[in-house]
Structure formats: structure tokens, C-alpha cells
Amino acid sequence: MIFKKENTGEKILISLALFFTLVSVITVSVQLMAGHSLTLITMIAYLQCMLFYWGGYLLYTFYIKGRESEAHGHSFIMLALFLLTVFNNPFHYSEMWISLLLFPLLLALHYNVKIYYIWGALFIIFYKLFLLYDTDFNGISSAAEFTAANLDRLVYGIAVLFIGFFIIQGTEKKRLEALEENERQKRVHLMSLLHALVPVVETKTQITREEIAQSSDLMLKMSHYFPEERIQRWEVELLAVIHFVSRVQWPDYLFEKEERLTDIEFEVVKQHCVMGRDIIGEDAAFSRIRTAAEQHHERIDGKGYPYGLGGEEIAVLSQILGITEAYLAMTTSRAYREALSCEEALGQIRKEKGGTFDPNVVNAFLKVMSGKSSQTDVKAS
């Protein structure tokens, strides 16, 4: 059985408590029915073990669960419980040490390699100390036989550690694959939702969906100049679609208006910046896209909107979208003006270097437009 990460500790501990309680009750019942007399010490040993496990479960549930150090706390409780069980040994079983070998296997269910390394190392230390303490080797008398038996048990412990390591590697890989597939499905769903609005925007604005491809192409080429940002293709493509459909909330007449916008109309136009936030919500997987859509009209000099951010407060991807939108807008005809030529638009963008746009972003854009390699340094001097 593979437990979910968020409730692994609780399920493991309650399972162990229930299992040991059941085993203890069955063992006592069978011995009493068979007419065996149990000593008070034996009964206390059974009771102690049950209390150990239930105590560990309650300690984890009320004092450790949900804390930052939860995984370490749970690992400590498990190791302590296994050690107490083998030292207490209510069954008087000479091979009780075998139960210690369960610890690395249960530890592997944490899906955390770092936790496994730390507590796996502590396990092997305590395991070795226990082997030195445990002198019951089924009649072994010579030092050579004692050493050989110790080595055999140590090999078992190391082997189980390796098995646990392979388990944690396999489960972590499956978990990451499942997470990646879930994220991919969310992206596909969101893309489908947005593309359903594209024909509506085309009808309202008389701007074709070709702008989405043009915007994606420019932004993707610019992103290569900022490898430290690790901008992914799907982020660029989704951002381009979100920006295109964000105009759907504007009144139709705005696209035909030749006069200057009123203050009220300009406030309506500004709202397209937050449409991406409203569509995406608080999903962390889309946080960078949400930020870029929200900030793409912010200016480096702090005179932009909607928040008046400036300088490094503005994300690089936001600036990439902003400069791309500005260029495509200038080179497309509008009701209130004719389209500018490519050179005229580039000249306007050069003028905004250090004012509206980050110099590094402007340099990257100009190099993209000139067809130069993205390996060229674009950092502003």
C-alpha cells in the first residue's frame, strides 16, 4: 500500500498501534485459552508496548503533525517505538531484532530522499548498538560465532536500507510523473477555455488570432536571452492567449472610437490586466503567468498601471509581454491611427528604453528583431 504524502505519518502510526494491539490481544487470549499462566511482568510488557504505540500516535497527532519538522518528528517516533519494542520484547522472541528492519521500509514512504538519508544513517547506528547489546544468539558461545552472527544481521540492515532507497526513488518518480501529468491536464483545460473566447474577441476587435502566434514567437525568442528565468514554452503560449482574450470584456464601441478615451473608459481598459488573475485564480502552477499578465503595463520608472510598480519590482516576463504588445499594437492599424512601419515602431521602443522598459529587455527585443543569436550578451552597459 502506498500512502499519500500529506497523511503518511498518521496512517503509519495508527496502523502500527492497531496492529500491535491486535497481536497482543490475540496472543494473550490464545495463551489463556490454552491454559497457560501469564506472569504479571509479561502482562505489563504487553500493556507497555500498546501504550508506547498509542502514545506515539497521540504525540504525533497533537504536537507534531502540521509543523515544519513533521517528517523528522514522525521518523524519531517510529525509530523510538521500534527500539522500545525490541528491548521490551513482550513475546520473548529471540529474533525480535527482525522488526527493526521494518523501519527503513516505512521511512521510505515519506517520499523524501533527504529525510531518508538522515534517519537511515541514525537507524544503522542504533541498529548496530542493539546488535552489540543483544547477546541472545540461540546458544552461540564462541566469540567468532558471535561476530559472524553480528555481521550477518548488519548485512540484513544495510540490505534493507538499499531496498528502502530503491522504493523511495521509484515512488518519487511516479509521484513527479503524476504531478506533471496533472499540471499538463490543467494547462490543456485552461487553453481550451481560453480558445473558446478567441472567435468572440476577433469579432469584437477585428484583430485576428494571428496576433497570438506572433506574440508567442516574439516572446519565446526574447526568453532565450534570459536563461536564468527558465521561461517555458507553454507559459509563453498560454500568456499570449490570455492577453489576446483579455480584451473580451471591453465594450464593442471602444474598438471603433477615434477620439481620446475618457478617464472612465481608460479605467475599463486597464481592467484587462487583471483578467488573467481572475481566470487563473490562485493556482501556484500559473503564478508567473498571472503576474506577467497583471504587470505588463507597469513601467520601469514607476508610472505604469495598475499598481505603479517600478524597477526590479516588475517581473522580466511582464516586461517581455509589455514590449511585445507595444510593438504589435504600433504596427497594427487602429480606428484612431494608421499602423507604424517596423522601423518607426522600433524607434519608439528605443525612446522608451529605461523609462517604460528595462534596458536589458529592450536590447533583447532589438536583437530578436535583427535576427541575432540569443547567445549574444544583451545586458545593458
Side-chain angles (χ1 to χ4, degrees):
M1 179 179 181
I2 301 298
F3 295 113
K4 292 183 178 180
K5 185 177 180 180
E6 61 267 20
N7 57 11
T8 300
E10 188 172 11
K11 284 191 174 183
I12 289 176
L13 288 174
I14 196 170
S15 297
L16 289 173
L18 289 171
F19 174 77
F20 199 87
T21 300
L22 181 63
V23 170
S24 297
V25 170
I26 291 175
T27 303
V28 172
S29 299
V30 168
Q31 292 194 39
L32 291 177
M33 290 175 64
H36 295 168
S37 59
L38 296 176
T39 64
L40 179 61
I41 294 178
T42 302
M43 293 294 292
I44 290 175
Y46 283 124
L47 180 61
Q48 281 179 333
C49 280
M50 285 189 289
L51 291 177
F52 287 155
Y53 281 94
W54 284 111
Y57 168 71
L58 294 175
L59 177 64
Y60 168 80
T61 302
F62 291 104
Y63 295 100
I64 296 176
K65 183 180 177 181
R67 295 178 179 270
E68 186 177 349
S69 57
E70 177 180 345
H72 289 291
H74 174 260
S75 302
F76 169 76
I77 290 174
M78 278 206 308
L79 182 57
L81 289 175
F82 279 114
L83 288 170
L84 287 171
T85 301
V86 294
F87 279 116
N88 194 41
N89 196 1
F91 306 109
H92 302 291
Y93 179 49
S94 61
E95 304 296 331
M96 196 67 184
W97 61 274
I98 295 175
S99 62
L100 282 174
L101 302 181
L102 291 174
F103 175 76
L105 302 180
L106 293 177
L107 188 64
L109 296 177
H110 275 301
Y111 303 151
N112 188 316
V113 175
K114 181 179 179 181
I115 296 293
Y116 189 80
Y117 283 158
I118 294 173
W119 287 94
L122 290 173
F123 159 77
I124 206 66
I125 292 172
F126 282 103
Y127 179 69
K128 179 59 181 175
L129 292 175
F130 170 76
L131 296 184
L132 295 176
Y133 165 82
D134 185 18
T135 57
D136 188 359
F137 280 90
N138 296 319
I140 292 177
S141 56
S142 69
E145 290 178 332
F146 180 83
T147 301
N150 253 296
L151 287 175
D152 286 343
R153 291 184 176 187
L154 185 60
V155 168
Y156 292 144
I158 295 174
V160 170
L161 274 178
F162 275 102
I163 293 172
F165 175 78
F166 289 123
I167 290 174
I168 202 171
Q169 289 291 334
T171 52
E172 179 69 4
K173 181 180 179 181
K174 290 181 179 179
R175 186 184 72 85
L176 291 175
E177 289 175 350
L179 182 62
E180 183 177 343
E181 176 60 21
N182 181 56
E183 297 298 330
R184 190 189 70 80
Q185 291 292 341
K186 286 194 294 186
R187 295 197 296 268
V188 170
H189 176 73
L190 183 56
M191 271 291 200
S192 299
L193 173 66
L194 293 170
H195 273 289
L197 296 174
V198 169
V200 180
V201 176
E202 287 181 311
T203 302
K204 287 169 66 76
T205 66
Q206 304 304 310
I207 301 173
T208 69
R209 67 187 66 196
E210 291 180 6
E211 181 184 281
I212 298 174
Q214 293 171 338
S215 179
S216 295
D217 182 60
L218 286 174
M219 288 194 291
L220 189 61
K221 288 177 179 177
M222 288 182 65
S223 70
H224 296 159
Y225 289 96
F226 302 93
E228 70 280 1
E229 295 293 323
R230 298 183 179 180
I231 298 171
Q232 301 182 56
R233 175 181 288 272
W234 70 264
E235 291 179 301
V236 169
E237 293 174 348
L238 185 54
L239 182 58
V241 179
I242 286 178
H243 180 262
F244 184 82
V245 304
S246 65
R247 301 163 174 141
V248 74
Q249 61 186 341
W250 293 350
D252 292 359
Y253 79 89
L254 288 182
F255 301 101
E256 303 296 332
K257 186 172 182 178
E258 298 181 6
E259 299 82 14
R260 181 183 179 87
L261 297 179
T262 66
D263 291 343
I264 294 176
E265 289 170 338
F266 188 52
E267 288 301 320
V268 172
V269 169
K270 287 182 179 180
Q271 291 304 308
H272 85 285
C273 292
V274 297
M275 184 179 178
R277 179 193 65 191
D278 296 338
I279 292 176
I280 295 173
E282 299 301 320
D283 194 320
F286 305 124
S287 61
R288 186 151 61 172
I289 299 172
R290 180 172 57 248
T291 299
E294 207 169 5
Q295 296 182 359
H296 75 282
H297 278 294
E298 299 288 357
R299 295 168 51 109
I300 293 299
D301 59 14
K303 297 179 181 179
Y305 62 85
Y307 306 119
L309 304 178
E312 295 183 356
E313 292 179 303
I314 307 172
V316 170
L317 187 55
S318 304
Q319 283 271 291
I320 289 176
L321 173 59
I323 201 170
T324 299
E325 180 200 42
Y327 174 78
L328 293 178
M330 285 188 286
T331 53
T332 304
S333 295
R334 294 289 189 259
Y336 53 88
R337 62 158 173 80
E338 293 295 324
L340 300 182
S341 68
C342 176
E343 284 305 318
E344 288 174 328
L346 292 178
Q348 291 295 323
I349 287 174
R350 289 188 184 95
K351 291 179 181 179
E352 296 299 329
K353 184 176 181 179
T356 300
F357 304 115
D358 184 306
N360 295 327
V361 175
V362 173
N363 290 345
F365 182 76
L366 295 176
K367 288 186 179 295
V368 166
M369 295 306 295
S370 67
K372 292 186 179 181
S373 170
S374 63
Q375 298 303 314
T376 306
D377 185 18
V378 302
K379 300 302 179 184
S381 59

Coordinates of all heavy atoms in Angstrom, one line a residue, residues 9 13 55-78:
G9 N 2.4 9.9 7.8 CA 2.8 9.7 9.2 C 1.7 9.2 10.1 O 1.8 8.3 10.9
L13 N 1.4 5.4 11.9 CA 1.4 5.2 13.3 C 0.2 4.6 13.8 O 0.2 3.7 14.7 CB 1.6 6.6 14.0 CG 3.1 7.1 13.9 CD1 3.1 8.6 14.4 CD2 4.1 6.3 14.6
G55 N 0.7 6.0 22.4 CA 1.3 7.3 22.9 C 2.0 8.0 21.8 O 1.9 9.2 21.6
G56 N 2.7 7.2 20.9 CA 3.4 7.8 19.8 C 2.5 8.4 18.8 O 2.7 9.5 18.3
Y57 N 1.3 7.7 18.6 CA 0.3 8.2 17.6 C -0.3 9.5 18.2 O -0.4 10.5 17.4 CB -0.8 7.2 17.5 CG -2.0 7.7 16.8 CD1 -2.0 8.0 15.4 CD2 -3.2 7.9 17.5 CE1 -3.1 8.5 14.8 CE2 -4.3 8.4 16.8 CZ -4.3 8.7 15.5 OH -5.4 9.2 14.9
L58 N -0.6 9.6 19.4 CA -1.2 10.8 20.0 C -0.2 11.9 20.0 O -0.6 13.1 19.8 CB -1.7 10.5 21.4 CG -2.9 9.5 21.5 CD1 -3.2 9.2 23.0 CD2 -4.1 10.1 20.8
L59 N 1.1 11.6 20.3 CA 2.1 12.6 20.3 C 2.3 13.3 18.9 O 2.3 14.5 18.8 CB 3.4 12.0 20.8 CG 4.7 13.0 20.8 CD1 4.5 14.1 21.8 CD2 5.9 12.2 21.1
Y60 N 2.3 12.4 17.9 CA 2.4 12.9 16.6 C 1.2 13.7 16.2 O 1.3 14.8 15.6 CB 2.5 11.7 15.6 CG 2.4 12.1 14.2 CD1 3.4 12.7 13.5 CD2 1.2 11.9 13.5 CE1 3.3 13.1 12.1 CE2 1.0 12.3 12.2 CZ 2.1 12.9 11.5 OH 1.9 13.3 10.2
T61 N 0.0 13.2 16.5 CA -1.3 13.9 16.0 C -1.4 15.3 16.7 O -1.8 16.2 16.0 CB -2.5 13.0 16.4 OG1 -2.3 11.7 15.8 CG2 -3.8 13.7 15.9
F62 N -1.1 15.4 18.0 CA -1.5 16.6 18.7 C -0.3 17.6 18.7 O -0.5 18.8 19.0 CB -2.0 16.3 20.1 CG -3.3 15.7 20.1 CD1 -3.4 14.3 20.3 CD2 -4.5 16.4 19.8 CE1 -4.7 13.7 20.3 CE2 -5.7 15.8 19.8 CZ -5.8 14.4 20.1
Y63 N 1.0 17.1 18.6 CA 2.1 18.0 18.8 C 3.1 18.2 17.6 O 3.8 19.1 17.6 CB 2.9 17.6 20.0 CG 2.1 17.7 21.3 CD1 1.5 16.6 21.9 CD2 1.9 18.9 21.9 CE1 0.8 16.7 23.1 CE2 1.2 19.0 23.1 CZ 0.6 17.9 23.7 OH -0.1 18.0 24.8
I64 N 3.0 17.2 16.7 CA 4.0 17.2 15.6 C 3.4 17.4 14.2 O 3.9 18.1 13.4 CB 4.8 15.9 15.6 CG1 5.6 15.8 16.9 CG2 5.7 15.8 14.4 CD1 6.4 14.5 17.1
K65 N 2.2 16.9 14.0 CA 1.5 16.9 12.7 C 1.3 18.4 12.3 O 0.8 19.2 13.1 CB 0.2 16.2 12.8 CG -0.5 16.2 11.4 CD -1.8 15.4 11.6 CE -2.6 15.4 10.3 NZ -3.9 14.7 10.4
G66 N 1.7 18.7 11.1 CA 1.5 20.1 10.6 C 2.6 21.0 10.8 O 2.6 22.1 10.3
R67 N 3.6 20.6 11.6 CA 4.7 21.5 11.9 C 5.8 21.4 10.8 O 5.8 20.4 10.0 CB 5.4 21.2 13.3 CG 4.4 21.5 14.4 CD 5.1 21.1 15.8 NE 4.3 21.4 16.9 CZ 4.3 22.5 17.6 NH1 5.1 23.5 17.2 NH2 3.5 22.7 18.6
E68 N 6.7 22.3 10.7 CA 7.7 22.3 9.7 C 8.6 21.1 9.8 O 9.1 20.6 8.8 CB 8.5 23.6 9.8 CG 9.6 23.8 8.7 CD 10.3 25.1 8.8 OE1 9.9 26.0 9.6 OE2 11.3 25.2 8.1
S69 N 8.8 20.6 11.0 CA 9.7 19.5 11.3 C 8.9 18.2 11.4 O 9.4 17.2 12.1 CB 10.5 19.7 12.6 OG 9.7 19.9 13.7
E70 N 7.7 18.1 10.8 CA 6.9 17.0 10.9 C 7.5 15.6 10.5 O 7.5 14.6 11.2 CB 5.6 17.2 10.1 CG 4.7 16.0 10.1 CD 3.4 16.2 9.3 OE1 3.2 17.3 8.9 OE2 2.7 15.2 9.0
A71 N 8.2 15.6 9.4 CA 8.9 14.4 8.9 C 9.9 13.9 9.9 O 10.0 12.7 10.1 CB 9.5 14.6 7.5
H72 N 10.7 14.8 10.4 CA 11.7 14.4 11.4 C 11.1 13.9 12.7 O 11.5 12.9 13.3 CB 12.7 15.6 11.7 CG 13.6 16.0 10.6 ND1 14.6 15.2 10.2 CD2 13.6 17.0 9.8 CE1 15.3 15.7 9.2 NE2 14.7 16.9 8.9
G73 N 10.0 14.6 13.1 CA 9.3 14.2 14.3 C 8.7 12.8 14.2 O 8.8 12.0 15.1
H74 N 8.1 12.6 13.0 CA 7.5 11.2 12.8 C 8.6 10.2 12.7 O 8.4 9.1 13.3 CB 6.7 11.3 11.5 CG 6.2 10.0 11.1 ND1 6.8 9.2 10.1 CD2 5.1 9.3 11.5 CE1 6.1 8.1 10.0 NE2 5.1 8.1 10.8
S75 N 9.7 10.4 12.1 CA 10.8 9.5 12.0 C 11.3 9.1 13.3 O 11.6 7.9 13.6 CB 11.9 10.0 11.0 OG 11.3 10.3 9.8
F76 N 11.5 10.1 14.2 CA 12.0 9.9 15.5 C 11.0 9.0 16.3 O 11.5 8.1 17.0 CB 12.2 11.2 16.2 CG 12.4 11.1 17.7 CD1 13.7 10.7 18.2 CD2 11.4 11.3 18.7 CE1 13.9 10.5 19.5 CE2 11.7 11.2 20.0 CZ 12.9 10.8 20.5
I77 N 9.8 9.3 16.2 CA 8.8 8.5 17.0 C 8.8 7.0 16.5 O 8.8 6.1 17.3 CB 7.4 9.1 16.8 CG1 7.3 10.4 17.6 CG2 6.3 8.1 17.3 CD1 6.0 11.1 17.3
M78 N 8.9 6.8 15.2 CA 8.9 5.5 14.7 C 10.1 4.7 15.1 O 10.0 3.6 15.6 CB 8.8 5.5 13.1 CG 7.5 5.7 12.5 SD 7.4 4.9 10.9 CE 8.8 5.7 10.1

